Amino acid sequence: MMDHVTFLKSLPPSDKAWLTRRSTAAGLWHLTGYLAAIGVFGTYIVAQLPGWPLAMLPLGILLCFLFTLSHECTHQTPFAAPWLSNWVGHAISPIIALPFTWFRYFHLAHHRHTNDPNNDPELEGEGRPGTRRAYAVYLSGWSYWSGGLRTVWRNAFGSITAPYLPERQHAAIRREARILLALYCAALVLLPVFPMLFWLWIVPVLLGQPFLRLYLLAEHGHCPPVANMLENTRTIFTNQLVRWLAWNMPYHAEHHSYPAVPFHRLPDLHARMRQHLQSTSQGYAAFTRVYLKQLGD
């Protein structure tokens, strides 16, 4: 049974160079289509066309799944220019309450200690849901929004103590948290003047978050706490629309095994790695059914 380290060693240098080649054109093309989809649903809501409240759900899913682009930006892989990845990551941050500089180091620690119950920051606190009640709370998005706001407040005014946050970045982390809080205060002040913010942003992201929770749970939920990325991370076989929405991150074992590969090359990495994958599911519905069966009361 091959692990991810052995697999990577088996790749010829020419394949590695090709797989890790970043493309600003590919990133901008994908981003343009993504923003156009947001614009279509947003315009439908603003124009209050027939059935416009229904458009808040697809808009919310699109907004919440900006998380996957932010995630890619932490690796600086969506575009050839690192500054563009940084700029896009910071631009997404206020929409989904995800401070980008903080998230970069949080996520790198997750990669370094994937599924390690003692060191993976994704497993801090309550971790992944193990009971039906915890699952319902997780699915609601309450833990994400409340935890995110606590993180922003702590970074802005409290002590920054997490071991994965380098001291040289503490000032930047504190600054970005205060900027986010200022933006949210400004949004509250503007809400009576521009009530459409409520229908274009607040309600949609609340509606869309459960779909992101379902998607993210499949990445590592009920995978074993081992070092092999082909076991501790799950690849989901899904349709092209979901892969587009999530910037190809359903190829998640591939991403964890070789995070330097940009989103547009992950299908090619998958073609080389598929026979070695050890944690997979045939779609998100199939994963959810299995996960629910293993929950306690």
Side-chain angles (χ1 to χ4, degrees), residues 215-236:
Y215 162 83
L216 291 175
L217 188 59
E219 293 180 343
H220 305 284
H222 289 165
C223 288
V226 296
N228 181 12
M229 298 296 180
L230 301 179
E231 289 185 78
N232 67 24
T233 303
R234 180 178 290 103
T235 284
I236 302 288

Side-chain angles (χ1 to χ4, degrees), residues 140-203:
S140 73
W142 168 255
S143 299
Y144 175 81
W145 296 118
S146 61
L149 292 175
R150 282 197 303 270
T151 295
V152 171
W153 184 266
R154 182 176 62 248
N155 289 349
F157 302 112
S159 299
I160 300 175
T161 57
Y164 52 80
L165 299 175
E167 190 172 351
R168 69 180 186 280
Q169 292 293 335
H170 285 188
I173 290 169
R174 194 173 300 283
R175 182 168 59 250
E176 79 172 350
R178 291 177 178 178
I179 290 172
L180 282 177
L181 288 175
L183 289 173
Y184 293 142
C185 288
L188 285 174
V189 170
L190 290 173
L191 196 56
V193 182
F194 300 106
M196 194 53 69
L197 275 176
F198 189 72
W199 307 113
L200 285 174
W201 174 39
I202 298 174
V203 173

Side-chain angles (χ1 to χ4, degrees), residues 1-275:
M1 185 180 294
M2 184 179 288
D3 65 11
H4 74 283
V5 175
T6 306
F7 171 80
L8 293 180
K9 288 180 179 177
S10 73
L11 285 176
S14 58
D15 279 17
K16 289 182 177 180
W18 185 79
L19 286 167
T20 57
R21 188 174 300 140
R22 301 169 189 181
S23 169
T24 295
L28 288 178
W29 177 253
H30 195 106
L31 181 59
T32 298
Y34 202 102
L35 293 178
I38 290 175
V40 167
F41 289 109
T43 300
Y44 198 92
I45 293 168
V46 170
Q48 297 191 339
L49 297 174
W52 67 267
L54 298 177
M56 289 190 291
L57 178 58
L59 176 61
I61 292 172
L62 286 163
L63 292 177
C64 287
F65 270 79
L66 284 170
F67 174 93
T68 57
L69 174 54
S70 178
H71 157 268
E72 276 293 275
C73 288
T74 66
H75 294 285
Q76 297 188 334
T77 50
F79 314 101
W83 67 265
L84 186 53
S85 292
N86 290 336
W87 188 89
V88 170
H90 283 293
I92 292 169
S93 182
I95 300 171
I96 56 175
L98 189 69
F100 180 66
T101 303
W102 170 86
F103 180 54
R104 169 181 287 149
Y105 294 100
F106 174 97
H107 186 66
L108 291 178
H110 162 64
H111 266 262
R112 193 174 298 116
H113 305 289
T114 304
N115 256 17
D116 179 344
N118 297 315
N119 294 295
D120 186 346
E122 281 198 0
L123 299 178
E124 290 177 353
E126 298 179 0
R128 300 186 185 103
T131 66
R132 294 185 181 276
R133 181 182 180 281
Y135 182 81
V137 173
Y138 170 86
L139 203 61
S140 73
W142 168 255
S143 299
Y144 175 81
W145 296 118
S146 61
L149 292 175
R150 282 197 303 270
T151 295
V152 171
W153 184 266
R154 182 176 62 248
N155 289 349
F157 302 112
S159 299
I160 300 175
T161 57
Y164 52 80
L165 299 175
E167 190 172 351
R168 69 180 186 280
Q169 292 293 335
H170 285 188
I173 290 169
R174 194 173 300 283
R175 182 168 59 250
E176 79 172 350
R178 291 177 178 178
I179 290 172
L180 282 177
L181 288 175
L183 289 173
Y184 293 142
C185 288
L188 285 174
V189 170
L190 290 173
L191 196 56
V193 182
F194 300 106
M196 194 53 69
L197 275 176
F198 189 72
W199 307 113
L200 285 174
W201 174 39
I202 298 174
V203 173
V205 295
L206 293 176
L207 293 174
Q209 189 61 219
F211 293 87
L212 180 63
R213 295 296 97 201
L214 283 170
Y215 162 83
L216 291 175
L217 188 59
E219 293 180 343
H220 305 284
H222 289 165
C223 288
V226 296
N228 181 12
M229 298 296 180
L230 301 179
E231 289 185 78
N232 67 24
T233 303
R234 180 178 290 103
T235 284
I236 302 288
F237 302 121
T238 187
N239 59 64
Q240 188 173 350
L241 177 61
V242 175
R243 290 196 297 270
W244 175 85
L245 179 68
W247 290 71
N248 277 333
M249 281 302 112
Y251 295 125
H252 211 60
E254 294 84 346
H255 166 69
H256 264 256
S257 297
Y258 204 176
V261 175
F263 75 97
H264 65 284
R265 295 290 194 212
L266 282 175
D268 302 294
L269 178 60
H270 170 72
R272 291 162 169 79
M273 186 180 282
R274 180 167 181 159
Q275 64 179 316

